[in-house]
Amino acid sequence: MSRLVVVSNRVGDPRKPAAGGLAVAVGESLASGAGGLWFGWSGQISEEAAPGEGELHMQHAGRSTLATVDLSRPDHDSYYLGYSNQALWPAFHYRLDLADFERSQFEGYKRVNRMFAAKLSALLRPDDVIWVHDYHLIPLAAELRMLGCTQRIGFFLHIPLPPPTILAAIPGHEGLMRWFFAYDLVGLQTQLDLEHFVRFIRDEARARPMGGDRYQAYERTLCARSFPIGIDVEEFQHLARSREAIETYTTLKEEYAKRRLLVGVDRLDYSKGLPHRFRAFRELLANYPENRMSATLIQIASPTRESVHAYYGELDWMPVRYIHRTWSRRRLEGLYRNAKVALVTPLRDGMNLVAKEFIAVQDAEDPGVLVLSRFAGAAEQLREALLVNPYDTETTAQLIQRALRMPLEERRERHAALYERVRRDDVHAWRRAFLAALSSEQAADAEQEVAEGHA
Ligand code: ADQ
């Protein structure tokens, strides 16, 4: 049986509960079958190390092994802060205006991928299957191939993939395409991302369709498919029984007994559209006065430098509570369950797991309503949410009002349909689908070799 090797920028400890969806999915894969290896950056920055150098640490966690590498300060700044987060993140979120394509950062990005490939290739076994995650590591397979690696390698992109006209603005995008073709399988979050990817490789790399999601270019064949990521529904529901979740739930329930609670939970990032959300909320209060003295939005945002101030405040009514920190998943659970409405209104998002977490923990008899941006990947699956265009704050306010006034029967119907999908397409289904596709690609290759042998 093959061993699974997972590569991602950050490595979680799969033994720790509540480490988040990806850690759960990865941990589960690594612990099953032949065990596994999880490789990535240690999170440590070394002030002594030279660019392209980094100490490797090996640690055993149950049946899996964690292999992590430190980064030198220049590598961290150019690969992680620089090219990954100031070039690829904004460009892939359709924000070329915010992207900075500095040559030295691009060099650092390639250098770290080369260094990771060198360290990882020494740990590989011939029948390993390798699963690489996200935009930090696009060149990794090409670097591994240069070192002679012939194992199956799959790639999953957690963020959106923009249309070819945006990708074409990235200096060196031809190289980006070649990097993708070093993978056997490229997984994207949505059908839309997949369409963009296929158009990109067909128009720019003249990739030839080979049937069944397979495309050939640069003398290699890859399979491209969408695999919408999900959450661990049971794990999240299980949190509801924790003391912290119950305390949060009860406190908020008492505090907001006479109010209508709306909730937003995001990492503070421009892609999440918080200013637009607050504007829509302000319009809700201005245009539908019945919400004054009653509607309250609790916005939890993991810290960065910006700050947003509450407005419309009165002595006993503060309409926006802006909580500038990371909450534990248990407390989030208690908050989601109290909310009448969740505002998940990113300007652009690969998937958005908050939308799915909110649905997973609602009381089916009296569920809250999800207001979801049509530009979140999740909107492709969660059609029964109230879909909004977050740039249109007036209509968003109208739909928030509709959510607040939605009759019980309609709330139940919408929730039942959404819950069904969140449950079925959970994180385990996502992992199984990706790994099955990666191994069936192996079968497809063998068939092709046989066919070519007969020809
Ligand atoms: P993120 O951009 O981090 O992930 P998201 O999908 O919303 O976005 O996942 C965030 C996770 O962190 C959720 O589990 C949420 O509960 C938690 N979280 C967010 N803000 C928090 C806060 N303030 N306090 C505590 N917890 C918080 C990237 C892509 C997404 C894609 C995921 C998974 O940008 O589009 O859905 O990867 O592929």
Side-chain angles (χ1 to χ4, degrees):
M1 185 186 275
S2 323
R3 178 180 70 156
L4 179 66
V5 176
V6 173
V7 190
S8 55
N9 177 57
R10 290 305 303 273
V11 171
D13 187 336
R15 292 165 305 180
K16 291 200 180 128
L22 182 62
V24 171
V26 167
E28 192 178 71
S29 321
L30 296 179
S32 64
L37 173 69
W38 193 352
F39 182 95
W41 172 37
S42 62
Q44 299 299 316
I45 303 170
S46 158
E47 300 295 345
E48 296 83 47
E53 279 179 6
E55 197 181 334
L56 175 71
H57 311 273
M58 302 289 285
Q59 198 190 332
H60 292 282
R63 297 187 62 184
S64 45
T65 306
L66 309 180
T68 55
V69 182
D70 302 341
L71 289 179
S72 70
R73 171 70 61 187
D75 282 354
H76 169 262
D77 292 355
S78 55
Y79 148 83
Y80 180 69
L81 294 181
Y83 199 72
S84 295
N85 287 313
Q86 281 164 20
L88 293 180
W89 175 275
F92 279 33
H93 284 86
Y94 299 55
R95 294 298 304 269
L96 287 172
D97 57 319
L98 298 177
D100 177 4
F101 300 111
E102 210 195 293
R103 181 89 211 165
S104 64
Q105 303 193 329
F106 181 58
E107 293 305 325
Y109 180 72
K110 288 193 292 187
R111 187 170 60 237
V112 169
N113 273 275
R114 192 167 311 135
M115 189 253 287
F116 280 173
K119 305 253 185 217
L120 175 61
S121 67
L123 306 173
L124 292 178
R125 298 178 191 157
D127 65 344
D128 281 344
V129 169
I130 305 166
W131 186 1
V132 179
H133 291 264
D134 234 1
Y135 58 101
H136 316 85
L137 299 169
I138 299 170
L140 193 76
E143 294 293 345
L144 285 168
R145 299 285 182 223
M146 270 191 275
L147 298 171
C149 167
T150 55
Q151 285 88 339
R152 313 290 311 162
I153 315 181
F155 177 81
F156 184 77
L157 184 68
H158 289 258
I159 63 176
L161 191 93
T165 184
I166 291 185
L167 291 172
I170 300 176
H173 64 271
E174 304 83 1
L176 207 61
M177 259 169 330
R178 278 183 183 270
W179 284 335
F180 278 121
F181 273 90
Y183 291 96
D184 299 291
L185 175 66
V186 172
L188 300 145
Q189 295 273 28
T190 65
Q191 269 313 110
L192 183 69
D193 298 321
L194 176 63
E195 277 166 32
H196 292 159
F197 181 75
V198 169
R199 263 191 13 235
F200 178 55
I201 58 172
R202 290 185 69 165
D203 295 353
E204 301 281 337
R206 302 266 159 257
R208 237 168 12 109
M210 307 293 286
D213 315 323
R214 290 158 67 84
Y215 299 88
Q216 198 176 61
Y218 312 113
E219 294 167 356
R220 283 198 53 92
T221 305
L222 64 72
C223 172
R225 249 184 242 175
S226 74
F227 299 92
I229 195 169
I231 60 163
D232 188 332
V233 175
E234 264 134 48
E235 182 248 8
F236 211 75
Q237 290 173 340
H238 188 74
L239 299 179
R241 280 176 248 149
S242 67
R243 192 176 47 83
E244 223 182 327
I246 295 167
E247 261 173 29
T248 309
Y249 178 77
T250 337
T251 316
L252 288 173
K253 200 164 180 63
E254 281 165 14
E255 214 173 311
Y256 292 98
K258 293 200 194 74
R259 308 254 189 260
R260 295 148 138 200
L261 189 59
L262 297 92
V263 64
V265 175
D266 303 80
R267 270 186 322 99
L268 196 46
D269 185 275
Y270 48 82
S271 64
K272 305 289 180 184
L274 293 193
H276 297 72
R277 185 179 307 166
F278 292 136
R279 238 172 275 145
F281 188 64
R282 186 174 54 199
E283 285 180 40
L284 173 86
L285 302 181
N287 301 347
Y288 306 96
E290 69 185 68
N291 294 307
R292 294 196 193 154
M293 304 305 291
S294 139
T296 301
L297 169 60
I298 296 190
Q299 173 66 52
I300 316 277
S302 316
T304 64
R305 271 151 281 153
E306 299 130 45
S307 69
V308 181
H309 297 290
Y311 38 80
Y312 269 103
E314 307 234 349
L315 220 48
D316 60 346
W317 174 58
M318 188 61 86
V320 178
R321 276 183 72 183
Y322 182 75
I323 302 175
H324 198 212
R325 69 179 120 93
T326 304
W327 263 22
S328 75
R329 294 164 63 71
R330 292 187 181 84
R331 291 186 76 192
L332 282 185
E333 201 279 344
L335 174 63
Y336 290 147
R337 250 187 317 139
N338 256 298
K340 294 257 173 290
V341 173
L343 300 183
V344 181
T345 54
L347 304 180
R348 204 52 77 172
D349 216 330
M351 178 54 59
N352 195 298
L353 298 179
V354 170
K356 296 188 173 184
E357 291 167 355
F358 177 77
I359 294 298
V361 299
Q362 294 307 301
D363 171 3
E365 294 305 311
D366 184 17
V369 180
L370 174 63
V371 172
L372 177 64
S373 162
R374 56 176 297 171
F375 304 124
E380 234 178 54
Q381 296 168 293
L382 305 182
R383 307 304 297 180
E384 291 81 6
L386 290 185
L387 296 185
V388 298
N389 167 9
Y391 293 95
D392 178 352
T393 49
E394 200 182 320
T395 317
T396 302
Q398 254 172 36
L399 284 159
I400 299 174
Q401 172 69 357
R402 188 171 155 206
L404 285 166
R405 298 185 59 102
M406 190 180 284
L408 178 63
E409 200 48 38
E410 183 180 351
R411 281 192 281 130
R412 282 186 185 153
E413 274 170 25
R414 286 179 183 267
H415 174 261
L418 292 168
Y419 182 72
E420 170 68 25
R421 216 145 315 124
V422 167
R423 222 194 138 70
R424 189 193 62 197
D425 300 333
D426 67 358
V427 73
H428 310 291
W430 169 77
R431 170 186 67 87
R432 280 195 301 268
F434 188 93
L435 291 176
L438 189 54
S439 53
S440 72
E441 270 310 285
Q442 199 159 6
D445 264 7
E447 273 167 34
Q448 198 173 332
E449 275 162 31
V450 172
E452 281 163 8
H454 287 314

